[in-house]
Amino acid sequence: MELLRIQKQYGTKEIFHDYNASFKQGSRYCIMGESGRGKTTLLRMIAGLETYDQGEIVWDAMKKVSVVFQENRLFEWATVEKNIALVQKKKQSIDIARHLQKVKLEGMEKKKVSELSGGMKRRVAIVRAMVAESSLVLMDEPFTGLDLDTKKEVIQYVLEQQKGRTLLISTHSKEEVSLLQAEMIQL
């Protein structure tokens, strides 16, 4: 995937000016930069959720994207299991309990999302993105609110589930870049 001469501004505030980047299929990238620099905007433009003013994103539009937003975007009224199953094809069957165990959420399948803590919801959102059929996974500060031990386990889970997909992750943490063994993109 290539971003060519991307320009984006909000009112008079220029976020990107002739921005170029190239991402190899199957690689891991961490996007870093000060707050307000455009990390979320970049991910949203790549996902097709935000328009850019000029430039081009060269990528096979038929490929699928899964996303972990800064807000978990879960259905609070539904169970953990149903939230994860929403991204599965009808004939596809995964062992949701096994995935939850890998992120320290064993036995939570039947709990309503509204009953979970913020960190638990975060992990459900990550599992949902990682079990979705996609070739690109976009994650916007996915490990925020996780203690160090949990973060390490969740990152290990993400690495195990990458399976040839490209990972683009925004973060403020060089430690996360190291744990993910990712290339750092500074904005």
Side-chain angles (χ1 to χ4, degrees):
M1 174 176 49
E2 286 190 275
L3 282 68
L4 304 171
R5 300 171 313 282
I6 298 295
Q7 295 191 40
K8 175 68 178 175
Q9 64 183 69
Y10 294 109
T12 58
K13 183 176 180 177
E14 187 172 67
I15 306 297
F16 292 101
H17 179 79
D18 284 336
Y19 181 75
N20 296 291
S22 182
F23 303 102
K24 290 186 291 195
Q25 182 64 39
S27 296
R28 293 184 291 274
Y29 301 91
C30 284
I31 302 164
M32 295 188 73
E34 298 172 17
S35 292
R37 183 59 193 99
K39 297 179 299 297
T40 297
T41 299
L42 181 64
L43 294 177
R44 289 179 55 79
M45 288 188 301
I46 291 169
L49 300 171
E50 182 91 34
T51 58
Y52 40 94
D53 301 323
Q54 289 184 0
E56 183 179 8
I57 296 178
V58 180
W59 190 58
D60 183 352
M62 297 304 290
K63 292 187 175 182
K64 295 179 181 173
V65 179
S66 58
V67 181
V68 175
F69 295 94
Q70 277 188 17
E71 321 78 34
N72 295 314
R73 308 248 175 126
L74 300 169
F75 293 104
E76 294 278 329
W77 50 266
T79 64
V80 168
E81 186 175 51
K82 284 187 180 172
N83 270 277
I84 293 169
L86 285 171
V87 299
Q88 299 297 295
K89 292 183 176 180
K90 297 243 187 265
K91 60 185 173 222
Q92 186 179 19
S93 175
I94 64 161
D95 184 354
I96 291 174
R98 183 181 62 79
H99 286 271
L100 291 173
Q101 178 191 14
K102 296 236 178 205
V103 297
K104 299 173 85 173
L105 289 176
E106 50 277 322
M108 295 293 182
E109 302 91 316
K110 303 296 182 195
K111 283 260 191 202
K112 284 189 177 180
V113 168
S114 61
E115 299 172 18
L116 304 179
S117 70
M120 295 167 116
K121 290 177 184 180
R122 201 80 192 125
R123 287 177 273 162
V124 172
I126 290 168
V127 169
R128 183 178 61 187
M130 296 310 296
V131 301
E133 184 183 314
S134 62
S135 56
L136 173 63
V137 181
L138 305 175
M139 297 179 148
D140 198 353
E141 299 184 28
F143 312 114
T144 300
L146 302 180
D147 64 68
L148 184 58
D149 289 338
T150 303
K151 181 187 295 189
K152 286 179 179 178
E153 287 193 45
V154 172
I155 287 174
Q156 185 57 44
Y157 168 77
V158 168
L159 295 175
E160 288 170 9
Q161 295 301 311
Q162 182 179 0
K163 299 178 180 175
R165 296 184 281 187
T166 304
L167 296 178
L168 276 158
I169 301 170
S170 75
T171 181
H172 290 284
S173 168
K174 288 185 180 177
E175 177 188 48
E176 291 175 11
V177 178
S178 177
L179 289 169
L180 286 157
Q181 301 164 15
E183 182 178 330
M184 185 169 63
I185 309 285
Q186 188 71 44
L187 293 185

